[in-house]
Amino acid sequence: MFSRRFLRLITLATVFAVASTGCMLSRAVDRAFLGITVTRPTYEARKTTGVFLLPLTFAVDVATFPIQALLVVLLGDNFPFKEDDRSNVLYSMSQHPQLQRLPEAQRAVAMREFEQLLRSGQLDRNSTLALTEDGHWVVVRVSDEGREQLLARAQAPATAELAVCSR
């Protein structure tokens, strides 16, 4: 009887912790082992470890909730995790049709150059990239107005409707 209640409590806590991975330690376990809220967990082959650790971290998260809430209020929503979208950017860039048209060797050079541009900090919100036919990137600086125009063009429908003139 006692073991069934305990098992039910552990199962309920695990389900709740998985569903609400907002607490710091539960998020850390998720990011490291489970990968529910991230593209790839750090340790992909250790999901059982994550399932085992999640109820324990959930209990510690509940006990330290006031401290964690205060830290999040003071230091921001993503504390203590620094969001890094580089892997998402690299993946989406590798799927781009213009990059796919390049031969494999030039595509590898282009991806290495792109990673180097990301790491170097040369890109900001007013930077645009152009891929040359030989697989090299050209960084072009635009003004705020130019950036807004580029965004408006990118979000416009791909095909314009045909204009028909009648007399």
Side-chain angles (χ1 to χ4, degrees):
M1 174 99 169
F2 177 73
S3 64
R4 280 190 167 184
R5 271 192 182 162
F6 185 68
L7 184 61
R8 196 178 319 159
L9 180 67
I10 293 295
T11 305
L12 185 63
T14 303
V15 168
F16 182 75
V18 167
S20 66
T21 56
C23 294
M24 289 179 196
L25 294 176
S26 297
R27 281 180 65 192
V29 168
D30 172 46
R31 294 167 75 89
F33 301 107
L34 300 174
I36 296 169
T37 60
V38 292
T39 306
R40 271 183 233 110
T42 307
Y43 307 105
E44 290 185 32
R46 298 207 174 120
K47 294 210 185 295
T48 306
T49 305
V51 170
F52 175 76
L53 288 175
L54 204 55
L56 302 174
T57 58
F58 175 72
V60 174
D61 281 336
V62 169
T64 61
F65 179 74
I67 296 168
Q68 289 184 24
L70 185 61
L71 288 172
V72 168
V73 167
L74 295 175
L75 301 174
D77 290 342
N78 288 329
F79 177 78
F81 306 103
K82 181 166 173 50
E83 298 298 324
D84 186 19
D85 292 333
R86 286 185 185 168
S87 59
N88 293 337
V89 170
L90 288 174
Y91 176 76
S92 62
M93 185 61 73
S94 69
Q95 302 303 314
H96 194 276
Q98 188 174 351
L99 194 63
Q100 293 294 324
R101 280 187 244 136
L102 293 174
E104 188 64 36
Q106 288 179 339
R107 190 178 319 147
V109 168
M111 289 305 293
R112 280 195 304 270
E113 281 184 15
F114 185 70
E115 288 178 40
Q116 184 180 13
L117 283 170
L118 283 176
R119 273 188 258 115
S120 70
Q122 292 179 7
L123 303 177
D124 59 7
R125 65 181 292 175
N126 288 341
S127 299
T128 59
L129 291 173
L131 183 63
T132 61
E133 290 181 9
D134 59 347
H136 295 287
W137 294 99
V138 177
V139 180
V140 180
R141 303 279 179 213
V142 293
S143 64
D144 287 333
E145 182 181 339
R147 182 175 49 83
E148 293 298 324
Q149 289 176 2
L150 286 172
L151 288 172
R153 286 183 196 148
Q155 294 171 353
T159 59
E161 294 182 24
L162 294 175
V164 178
C165 296
S166 63
R167 287 189 179 215

